[in-house]
Amino acid sequence: MPDTPPVEDLGDGVWSLPVPIPGNPLGFTYVYVLTGSEGPVLIDTGWDHDDAWDALVKGLARTGHTVQEVRGAVLTHFHPDHTGLTGRLREASGAWLAMHPADIAVTEHLLSRDDDTRRRELADQMRAAGFPADDTAELLAGPRYSPPPVVPDLPLADGARVDLPGRDLRAVWTPGHTPGHLCLHLADGGRLFTGDHVLPRITPHVGQFPLTADAGDPLGDFLASQRIIGDLPGADSLVCLPSHERRFGGLRTRAAEIMEHHEDRLAEILLLLRTTGAATLWETSRGLTWRRPWADMSVRSRHMAAAETAAHLRLTEERGLTTRTGTPDLPRWAAVTGPDAPA
């Protein structure tokens, strides 16, 4: 687990506050503080944990502000390491919470489901993916998923300006990692807050949910978003401030590397299916190369890996490279072959 770096003044009224994620290999989420003429605004809030809240409150004090002075928080996406403290923040300060409408809809959906319902839906998904019964039982017995504590009150559409008087901070919609993921462009400061869309070393997770859904194309959206972000005016002169790891430059080059990684993965999947024949999602996922051998992964990691494989399979369907066979309860994917197969 990486060491948590110190609070840092990045200049021009921008601060980075590393907020810990206890027990998670990511280690921390960067919460960014931007000062404006009528109070500070946060980008993300961090994980819902007492240690995380203490780090946020103490970090804000280092910037010369109290949590009660926070004007609002822009949330890059709905994942709990970014939205977990929204409830405490709203209670302490009355701050507005802004998020893209697509992720607001996801948040509303998650909060409408009780834990038993979510677990039944997860079990159905894993059976349809072909997971062994033992894996399904183990995952269902694990910790419950934590949805965001509250629904954000301000929809923030692509290109919209954030309510931060005295600064020009604008939303850039980059769907893929989640349907409503946002990057934030500080046009008057030459900075881009990339959330989890572009990270300097690791490749952001892109999953298909539900696992065997035959609609949507999150990976296709993600690749299109990488092209959009890489084509921002002056992209390679921007200082990129991600939610994890470290700040970086060379945005266009990094976006191209991420796209190449996914194209390589698509090629690996097609080669596997041409070798093995039609396969379930679990069989396909198990047959791919992962940083850790499939047999050594925790069941939670296998589930995440399968979600990523599912997103790749959806894109191969969209490109006409695979077809879905089997049954709705247990679909299989087969590579399209023959003279009419796409190149």
Side-chain angles (χ1 to χ4, degrees), residues 298-317:
S298 69
V299 66
R300 186 169 295 276
S301 294
R302 289 181 189 174
H303 177 253
M304 294 295 288
E308 186 169 299
T309 303
H312 286 78
L313 286 169
R314 274 296 298 137
L315 182 52
T316 64
E317 290 178 306

Side-chain angles (χ1 to χ4, degrees), residues 256-334:
E257 290 172 350
I258 291 171
M259 289 189 285
E260 182 180 7
H261 163 82
H262 285 290
E263 294 296 338
D264 289 345
R265 184 57 125 188
L266 290 165
E268 183 184 3
I269 289 172
L270 290 171
L271 177 60
L272 174 67
L273 293 178
R274 288 171 184 146
T275 303
T276 64
T280 66
L281 175 57
W282 187 83
E283 290 166 342
T284 306
S285 303
R286 181 185 59 176
L288 297 174
T289 303
W290 301 97
R291 184 172 53 186
R292 177 178 297 177
W294 183 262
D296 296 342
M297 287 187 191
S298 69
V299 66
R300 186 169 295 276
S301 294
R302 289 181 189 174
H303 177 253
M304 294 295 288
E308 186 169 299
T309 303
H312 286 78
L313 286 169
R314 274 296 298 137
L315 182 52
T316 64
E317 290 178 306
E318 290 295 309
R319 291 181 177 180
L321 298 171
T322 63
T323 56
R324 199 176 291 216
T325 65
T327 67
D329 291 337
L330 188 63
R332 296 176 180 274
W333 284 262

Side-chain angles (χ1 to χ4, degrees), residues 198-218:
V198 188
L199 300 173
R201 185 182 61 85
I202 61 177
T203 304
H205 180 268
V206 180
Q208 174 82 0
F209 299 101
L211 291 175
T212 59
D214 57 2
D217 182 13

Side-chain angles (χ1 to χ4, degrees), residues 21-38:
I21 315 173
N24 188 296
L26 281 174
F28 59 89
T29 300
Y30 280 119
V31 172
Y32 293 99
V33 181
L34 284 74
T35 57
S37 60
E38 297 182 25

Side-chain angles (χ1 to χ4, degrees), residues 92-161:
S93 67
W96 51 255
L97 303 171
M99 183 187 276
H100 189 273
D103 271 18
I104 290 179
V106 173
T107 301
E108 291 172 336
H109 173 78
L110 291 172
L111 289 173
S112 72
R113 298 290 197 270
D114 61 30
D115 191 50
D116 288 342
T117 300
R118 285 195 291 268
R119 287 176 185 271
R120 284 196 300 270
E121 292 172 345
L122 178 58
D124 290 342
Q125 289 182 44
M126 293 185 73
R127 282 191 287 268
F131 269 80
D134 287 349
D135 276 14
T136 302
E138 183 180 342
L139 188 61
L140 293 177
R144 76 176 186 90
Y145 177 78
S146 298
V150 294
V151 178
D153 50 328
L154 290 181
L156 191 64
D158 184 37
R161 187 167 180 169

